[in-house]
Amino acid sequence: MAGIKFFTGGNFFMSSKYVAVIDQGTTSTRCILFSKNGRPIASNQMEHEQIFPNPGWVEHDAMEIWSRTQDVIRGVMSKAQITSENISAIGITNQRETTILWDKFTGKPIYNAIVWQCTRTQNFCEEWQKKPGWTQNDKGEGKVKNITGLLINPYFSGTKIRWILDNVPGAREKAEAGKLLFGNIDSWLIWNLTGGVNGGVHVTDVSNASRTLLMSIKNLEWDQEMLNELKIPRSILPEIKPSSYIYGYTTDAGPFGGKIPIAGDLGDQQAALFGQACLSEGEAKNTYGTGCFMLMNIGDKPIQSKNGLLTTAFYSREKNKCYYALEGSIAIAGAAVQWLRDNLKIIDAAPDTEYFASKVKDSGGIYFVPAFSGLFAPFWDMTARGSILGMTRYTRKEHLIRATLESICYQTRDVIEAMEKDSGKKLTALKVDGGAVINNLLMQLQANILGSEVIRPVVNEITALGVAYIAGLAVGFWKDEGDIRANWAIDKIFKCESTEQDREKNYNGWKKAVEKCKNWTN
Ligand code: ADP
């Protein structure tokens, strides 16, 4: 799918200045131009192929992603009738953890990109978990957590790099001879945009590096103990830089057709947190897409979670100074709605959930726990499986649809409760974004289940906006974080309409349902 969109009428592009963002996501790549008031002006989007070579394996063709990136850039520039002169800075935000190894002399990847969702290293991770000291004990402490803030899980880049080095013929020899480069999608695009084999810069930022399992969360450098354990040569790794920083310049021969500073780099969830202007400690956002990603700004200290959350770098604007986030990832959120549509076929399209779920006053006492691929945060039980509990002959499809929407909200509450325990702070309002937040009933149910306000902002390109800000701040396009707060505007606030008694009774039912699903495939 390709689509060029203009968000405003009139042809006033030629004299203006913009920040251009490349938003390289799991299913598509977009280029979006942002104006000074933080509004998207024009965008262009193209999808790329999802490659599934074996059950549970997910790959992308990194050359196709580079090619789509060039296409969307050229498309948006030509439609908006602008040149590189109109662009003050470029920001890059990306699907995180996805892993590419390429030959630095030919510029060609030696294997497809291994995508964040890919579970091919599950067995490796299970073996690693058995090694004493590496995985968390009952107190949530272990070497991997202490060093990286993460868990042993195929989700992160480290074991994917190891897989390529062990399984692609000649890969390890090439790596040891200094011929290979590793990067997540951000590094791959920056290297190509700054000249590739002709002097491309090999860099990443702290937010992306913090998802590799290889960076020390405390000193923001590659950690030798992790590299040794995973047998990854340091020479293949990019240099870790701040997120708001001039990494290099695009080339005349590249898709922008001129020299523009690449000045921002942020992983997609961190970019959404920044775009939501969650710039003070304790502020949090939840993104409702295929899964849910909830992040809370925890300030400049990497607090370790004792409650099943990840500690991750949020962003950095100067060397050795970093802001951190606690993250709760939920694997199945909007994907449960897709399951109602594609597998049960009880809705035709995702928005139908709002219509059917509003036909009943509640979910008729049922709970749907969509643990299709286990439970992620805060439980991390990969043996849990999806279940519908509490059904009677009274149960109708409307109840199940409503229970599906509620399951997204209950999972979010589970993560928020963990965040509140870790941070010692009570969340009074939740900022939301992502494809599913257009569902007003979902948002109302979320407010009722949380007992707090849910705030939906005006701009829905929040992720891209976040890295536009990060890039714009590096070149003075925006002055300071005050500009960012001033640009953030509310579309709608959903206020809690439930009583505390009902809320807690219903949530206790959910907790009981979750317990029933755990430890299923063992
Ligand atoms: P991603 O970035 O993960 O691909 P998006 O942010 O584009 O996801 O959101 C798409 C997800 O949101 C899909 O899983 C879809 O089922 C869900 N979704 C989209 N619209 C609605 C809606 N109106 N109600 C409920 N879920 C929705």
Side-chain angles (χ1 to χ4, degrees):
M1 185 196 81
I4 298 188
K5 276 196 234 164
F6 286 108
F7 297 92
T8 50
N11 185 1
F12 54 87
F13 301 99
M14 287 167 77
S15 59
S16 309
K17 285 276 196 183
Y18 304 100
V19 171
V21 166
I22 297 162
D23 180 356
Q24 204 304 300
T26 308
T27 53
S28 72
T29 307
R30 287 180 304 162
C31 181
I32 304 174
L33 301 176
F34 285 95
S35 61
K36 264 225 154 74
N37 64 358
R39 296 288 179 268
I41 297 301
S43 78
N44 187 12
Q45 176 169 16
M46 290 178 91
E47 289 186 359
H48 57 265
E49 192 189 351
Q50 306 294 314
I51 303 166
F52 305 110
N54 286 307
W57 291 32
V58 191
E59 298 178 359
H60 293 155
D61 175 350
M63 287 309 279
E64 186 193 6
I65 287 182
W66 169 228
S67 167
R68 295 289 88 85
T69 302
Q70 296 176 78
D71 294 342
V72 292
I73 294 168
R74 291 202 175 98
V76 90
M77 304 249 316
S78 93
K79 283 287 175 191
Q81 296 178 16
I82 58 165
T83 68
S84 58
E85 305 274 301
N86 297 93
I87 300 177
S88 299
I90 296 165
I92 293 176
T93 181
N94 54 295
Q95 50 167 324
R96 305 173 303 173
E97 300 97 10
T98 297
T99 296
I100 308 170
L101 263 73
W102 70 95
D103 184 315
K104 75 172 166 196
F105 298 108
T106 66
K108 298 272 183 302
I110 60 161
Y111 190 77
N112 275 338
I114 302 185
V115 177
W116 59 275
Q117 297 152 320
C118 186
T119 57
R120 79 184 64 199
T121 61
Q122 180 68 34
N123 290 345
F124 179 91
C125 289
E126 281 170 16
E127 289 306 310
W128 191 8
Q129 277 165 348
K130 289 182 197 150
K131 286 177 88 173
W134 285 95
T135 196
Q136 306 86 268
N137 58 22
D138 294 345
K139 297 197 193 92
E141 291 159 352
K143 263 194 208 173
V144 169
K145 185 129 200 70
N146 293 349
I147 298 172
T148 68
L150 307 174
L151 307 161
I152 297 179
N153 195 289
Y155 178 21
F156 308 109
S157 314
T159 64
K160 300 182 197 291
I161 303 175
R162 169 70 180 263
W163 188 93
I164 296 179
L165 292 175
D166 285 352
N167 289 282
V168 175
R172 188 164 287 284
E173 293 71 29
K174 269 190 164 179
E176 266 146 24
K179 293 181 182 162
L180 281 195
L181 301 178
F182 152 76
N184 295 123
I185 301 271
D186 61 320
S187 304
W188 170 241
L189 294 182
I190 295 173
W191 187 79
N192 277 298
L193 286 165
T194 55
V197 290
N198 300 312
V201 293
H202 187 216
V203 289
T204 188
D205 92 300
V206 291
S207 73
N208 278 292
S210 75
R211 314 296 298 183
T212 58
L213 273 183
L214 306 176
M215 188 186 85
S216 154
I217 195 75
K218 294 186 199 96
N219 64 26
L220 310 171
E221 284 170 5
W222 300 123
D223 183 84
Q224 198 56 50
E225 198 173 359
M226 294 303 297
L227 294 177
N228 292 347
E229 178 63 17
L230 284 166
K231 297 193 171 56
I232 295 175
R234 188 179 271 257
S235 62
I236 69 171
L237 302 177
E239 234 184 295
I240 304 173
K241 300 283 188 189
S243 322
S244 185
Y245 177 85
I246 299 181
Y247 305 94
Y249 291 82
T250 54
T251 60
D252 293 340
F256 285 102
K259 208 163 163 267
I260 308 168
I262 301 178
D265 177 7
L266 268 187
D268 54 7
Q269 298 307 324
Q270 285 89 338
L273 190 63
F274 204 87
Q276 287 277 23
C278 292
L279 304 174
S280 303
E281 218 177 303
E283 289 189 284
K285 68 88 197 175
N286 195 20
T287 301
Y288 298 73
T290 311
C292 273
F293 292 89
M294 168 105 192
L295 272 79
M296 178 190 264
N297 178 341
I298 52 168
D300 59 5
K301 306 265 174 326
I303 301 170
Q304 288 287 10
S305 172
K306 293 198 166 31
N307 296 286
L309 304 174
L310 307 173
T311 304
T312 201
F314 172 15
Y315 73 95
S316 137
R317 291 184 57 198
E318 56 191 289
K319 199 164 166 42
N320 300 327
K321 172 108 181 131
C322 183
Y323 292 92
Y324 294 92
L326 280 178
E327 173 169 332
S329 331
I330 296 166
I332 305 289
V337 171
Q338 292 167 5
W339 182 76
L340 297 180
R341 184 193 61 194
D342 301 337
N343 296 43
L344 299 193
K345 302 190 193 306
I346 58 174
I347 53 168
D348 292 329
D352 297 348
T353 50
E354 188 163 356
Y355 169 80
F356 287 113
S358 62
K359 293 268 168 223
V360 284
K361 67 176 190 329
D362 55 32
S363 55
I366 68 162
Y367 291 92
F368 172 27
V369 186
F372 294 145
S373 43
L375 286 165
F376 277 34
F379 309 107
W380 299 101
D381 181 346
M382 297 303 155
T383 67
R385 285 296 175 267
S387 315
I388 301 165
L389 294 111
M391 286 190 289
T392 63
R393 284 196 65 184
Y394 170 77
T395 307
R396 294 158 34 149
K397 84 169 189 180
E398 289 82 357
H399 294 125
L400 176 59
I401 294 169
R402 194 169 174 116
T404 306
L405 297 183
E406 287 178 352
S407 77
I408 300 174
C409 307
Y410 282 126
Q411 292 185 93
T412 298
R413 176 154 174 189
D414 289 337
V415 169
I416 289 180
E417 299 234 325
M419 271 182 185
E420 289 180 342
K421 282 190 205 141
D422 277 335
S423 68
K425 293 189 172 67
K426 182 104 191 99
L427 195 80
T428 51
L430 179 67
K431 293 178 175 179
V432 297
D433 56 86
V437 302
I438 49 169
N439 187 323
N440 287 323
L441 177 63
L442 175 68
M443 295 296 100
Q444 187 57 53
L445 290 171
Q446 184 69 86
N448 296 352
I449 284 170
L450 286 180
S452 56
E453 287 184 351
V454 169
I455 304 176
R456 185 170 66 194
V458 174
V459 174
N460 59 8
E461 301 286 359
I462 283 288
T463 304
L465 179 60
V467 79
Y469 283 145
I470 275 284
L473 285 168
V475 298
F477 188 81
W478 286 289
K479 195 164 62 4
D480 55 33
E481 290 170 3
D483 284 352
I484 292 164
R485 288 185 196 280
N487 284 346
W488 188 83
I490 294 173
D491 168 43
K492 192 167 160 94
I493 299 182
F494 298 85
K495 291 189 187 299
C496 169
E497 292 170 355
S498 62
T499 64
E500 185 171 1
Q501 200 189 4
D502 282 350
R503 197 161 57 241
E504 296 314 308
K505 184 171 126 267
N506 295 338
Y507 185 52
N508 283 336
W510 165 260
K511 287 201 278 199
K512 209 160 115 189
V514 167
E515 287 308 312
K516 301 264 182 215
C517 302
K518 284 185 184 169
N519 204 18
W520 184 258
T521 59
N522 260 1

